[in-house]
Amino acid sequence: MSSNSDKDTVGVKAEKRIHDQVPSEQYAAFMRTGWTPSDLEGLEPLEVVTYAFARRQVLSAAFPGVRLVLPSGPFKVRSHDTDYQYRPHSAFAYYSGVQGSDATADAVLVMEPTEGGHLTYLYIHPRSTRDTDSFYRDAKYGELWVGRRYTLSEAKDRYQIDTRHLDEIQTLLKDGRETLTIRGADHSIDSIIPSNKGDIDFNTFTSQQRFVKDEYEISELQKAVDATAAGFNDVISVIPAAVATPRGERVLEAAFYGRARVAGNDLGYTTIIGAGSHACVLHWIRNDGDVRMGDLVLVDAGVEVDSFYTADITRTLPVSGKFSPAQRSLYMLVYEAQLAGFAAAKPGVKFSEINKACQAVLAKGLADMGVLPISAEESMQPEVGLHRRWTLHGVSHHLGLDVHDCGHARREDYLDGELREGMVLTVEPGLYIQPDDELFAPEYRGIGIRIEDDVVVTADGCRNLSEDIPRHPDAIEKWMKSLLR
Ligand code: GLY
Ligand code: MN
Ligand code: MN
């Protein structure tokens, strides 16, 4: 539906999308009257409220005396006046707790310094009530165009944060008080706040605070993994349709997307569906290839739940339901590498040790197969690394609100940092034999395999949140048989 499709609504401003004209004052007055009151009284606070409060306490203690501004961000334009589905900035989501369809564009969380810490305010564009014109004129915010939002008092009940109208934020932010913000989250907010050398450290801090997950986050990540598991079942169920349909990769992609939207908020990232040698292209998101009997198909997908936490799971499946001997032997090497990665993940160990443990197994396997021209030990020297011709990427990253969570952390605290209880990580070794790789026998060429699971670091090791999604080739064959008959 176009917002300027009829004669009465020409002149829609691209930015605000307000209809310039209404037929008459009589019409405007008529539209304001005759509506049943519909404020929602006594909304229950969300479960996240106490966790978000504790997170803000940590942030407040780290930045005393300074105003902290966390924008949710604007809509992102897809083309002309069509936006993508709205998704708030992760730092805003983390400290506010705002979630699901409650998240509305342009909101800003402000922490005002006081004697003992900070007072928090959630600036929102509240509901366009029936006494405004915007509920029917504003294609961007109007209730009859995009649906109801909370009033200030409803949002306060839900999030237990004092709320203010977004119209007041310009005046506040122009008062000259020292302010730190997450640059790039909302350019209109950036333009009001003078840049501060501390902004980078502020962003780093908000990223690193998310290294260790609280119990609410771990349970949300488990929900994301469980919804993703259901999505993988859906994918397997449509493999016959994918084989029968041109561009069958899209059939698998669509099946997973359906689950993500029905069970969660969205995908946590664009699904990778690599059938045959497309599996050897690490970020194959075109997903426009055929799915052929006898090939493997690599599916890297994650459901983002309403709290915006995402899973990140990869399974490599035989399209026929049965691995060939060459597929199985390469698969088992990746499988063994992943077991070594799980074993390495424990508190006190450097994050990079997980990668080393997986790579050591893969390098030895490649040397045993006779494709590595030097010993595995020599290849494992950081300045040598020949095995990486087939392993291509690191095997772990933090996971949370972002699929590559804590992305603004310092290198020394991330890659070179020590694992701590409560961190959530992927373990995702892979082997990729390009179709034109003459170092491998022909039956191996074009095989790409990755196995990716999501683990939480425990007191003495790690727990696999995605343990219930079959991984061993025998278990995969059994799983597929149960869904494909
Ligand atoms: N899905 C992106 C990754 O595995 O890191
Ligand atoms: Mn990953
Ligand atoms: Mn992945």
Side-chain angles (χ1 to χ4, degrees):
M1 195 184 324
S2 160
S3 56
N4 58 357
S5 60
D6 70 61
K7 272 206 289 291
D8 294 338
T9 58
V10 289
V12 170
K13 292 181 186 133
E15 232 179 51
K16 296 201 83 186
R17 298 175 205 170
I18 303 276
H19 294 229
D20 282 340
Q21 296 162 14
V22 290
S24 61
E25 253 321 303
Q26 192 184 359
Y27 170 80
F30 184 58
M31 286 300 280
R32 275 180 227 124
T33 58
W35 308 104
T36 307
S38 62
D39 278 9
L40 303 171
E41 302 292 340
L43 282 180
E44 289 296 316
L46 290 173
E47 184 191 354
V48 71
V49 157
T50 50
Y51 297 96
F53 178 79
R55 297 168 194 165
R56 293 195 298 272
Q57 296 292 98
V58 173
L59 192 62
S60 171
F63 297 94
V66 187
R67 174 186 290 146
L68 307 173
V69 174
L70 296 142
S72 178
F75 279 110
K76 292 190 172 60
V77 176
R78 182 174 186 277
S79 182
H80 182 48
D81 65 349
T82 309
D83 296 319
Y84 288 104
Q85 197 73 250
Y86 186 68
R87 203 276 192 189
H89 191 280
S90 293
F92 170 87
Y94 183 72
Y95 293 107
S96 69
V98 170
Q99 49 191 252
S101 308
D102 290 5
T104 52
D106 308 323
V108 186
L109 192 73
V110 176
M111 294 172 61
E112 281 292 291
T114 58
E115 276 302 294
H118 289 79
L119 291 174
T120 305
Y121 300 94
L122 181 58
Y123 284 78
I124 57 171
H125 203 299
R127 177 181 183 204
S128 49
T129 46
R130 296 290 195 257
D131 52 349
T132 66
D133 283 346
S134 64
F135 78 91
Y136 64 94
R137 287 182 66 196
D138 185 340
K140 187 169 171 188
Y141 292 111
E143 203 154 304
L144 302 196
W145 284 94
V146 293
R148 194 188 191 284
R149 293 185 312 275
Y150 287 142
T151 63
L152 293 178
S153 85
E154 289 163 359
K156 182 177 178 182
D157 286 347
R158 208 73 170 134
Y159 294 102
Q160 300 291 300
I161 300 173
D162 283 330
T163 46
R164 289 180 174 171
H165 198 294
L166 202 52
D167 287 352
E168 296 168 29
I169 200 154
Q170 296 252 355
T171 315
L172 178 87
L173 296 183
K174 285 176 179 164
D175 69 359
R177 190 188 270 270
E178 187 187 359
T179 301
L180 293 170
T181 190
I182 306 277
R183 295 270 155 200
D186 186 333
H187 292 295
S188 69
I189 298 294
D190 284 353
S191 67
I192 313 173
I193 303 174
S195 66
N196 184 322
K197 282 207 298 285
D199 285 338
I200 292 172
D201 284 344
F202 179 55
N203 197 8
T204 301
F205 188 93
T206 61
S207 207
Q208 298 202 173
Q209 195 184 334
R210 289 172 18 211
F211 272 148
V212 172
K213 271 58 184 176
D214 58 40
E215 61 179 350
Y216 171 82
E217 294 181 283
I218 291 170
S219 90
E220 290 300 303
L221 282 159
Q222 183 69 65
K223 279 187 208 163
V225 166
D226 294 346
T228 299
F232 273 84
N233 288 343
D234 299 340
V235 166
I236 292 174
S237 305
V238 299
I239 284 180
V243 172
T245 308
R247 303 201 304 178
E249 289 175 351
R250 294 279 170 95
V251 175
L252 306 185
E253 179 187 353
F256 192 84
Y257 182 63
R259 176 65 63 167
R261 287 294 287 164
V262 172
N265 178 60
D266 206 338
L267 299 168
Y269 54 93
T270 308
T271 302
I272 297 168
I273 307 278
S277 63
H278 289 160
C280 301
V281 181
L282 296 180
H283 289 166
W284 179 259
I285 55 170
R286 297 182 210 169
N287 302 341
D288 60 357
D290 293 337
V291 176
R292 294 189 187 88
M293 220 28 113
D295 281 348
L296 297 176
V297 59
L298 182 154
V299 180
D300 183 343
V303 173
E304 175 187 87
V305 288
D306 279 347
S307 53
F308 306 119
Y309 288 84
T310 187
D312 179 12
I313 304 287
T314 306
R315 288 293 180 267
T316 308
L317 309 165
V319 174
S320 67
K322 284 261 177 217
F323 288 90
S324 73
Q327 290 165 349
R328 186 178 269 258
S329 74
L330 270 189
Y331 190 101
M332 281 311 293
L333 184 48
V334 180
Y335 182 84
E336 296 294 338
Q338 198 195 28
L339 292 183
F342 292 147
K346 51 183 169 224
V349 168
K350 264 193 178 183
F351 173 87
S352 53
E353 288 299 318
I354 302 174
N355 190 42
K356 246 188 235 167
C358 292
Q359 299 285 347
V361 173
L362 295 173
K364 177 161 187 319
L366 290 162
D368 291 348
M369 292 179 85
V371 291
L372 200 58
I374 54 176
S375 72
E377 292 70 27
E378 198 183 342
S379 192
M380 281 297 289
Q381 299 302 311
E383 67 283 5
V384 182
L386 297 195
H387 62 283
R388 287 161 62 172
R389 174 181 173 117
W390 299 289
T391 67
L392 295 179
H393 57 81
V395 308
S396 192
H397 55 80
H398 283 264
L399 181 72
L401 285 165
D402 289 319
V403 62
H404 296 154
D405 211 35
C406 315
H408 294 279
R410 282 183 289 265
R411 185 195 162 92
E412 62 263 37
D413 298 319
Y414 192 134
L415 288 178
D416 300 329
E418 284 187 0
L419 298 182
R420 283 180 276 158
E421 189 175 353
M423 286 180 164
V424 175
L425 314 162
T426 65
V427 182
E428 49 173 311
L431 274 180
Y432 310 91
I433 320 301
Q434 302 302 323
D436 55 346
D437 191 333
E438 294 185 345
L439 301 190
F440 263 90
E443 66 269 28
Y444 291 100
R445 294 180 198 163
I447 295 180
I449 293 163
R450 177 163 64 256
I451 315 172
E452 176 171 29
D453 284 81
D454 304 337
V455 305
V456 55
V457 179
T458 56
D460 57 0
C462 72
R463 182 165 60 82
N464 187 356
L465 299 174
S466 40
E467 184 60 39
D468 290 345
I469 309 177
R471 265 194 347 269
H472 188 278
D474 292 344
I476 287 182
E477 289 180 355
K478 213 170 131 197
W479 179 34
M480 293 185 71
K481 195 169 169 201
S482 74
L483 290 164
L484 285 176
R485 72 175 115 139

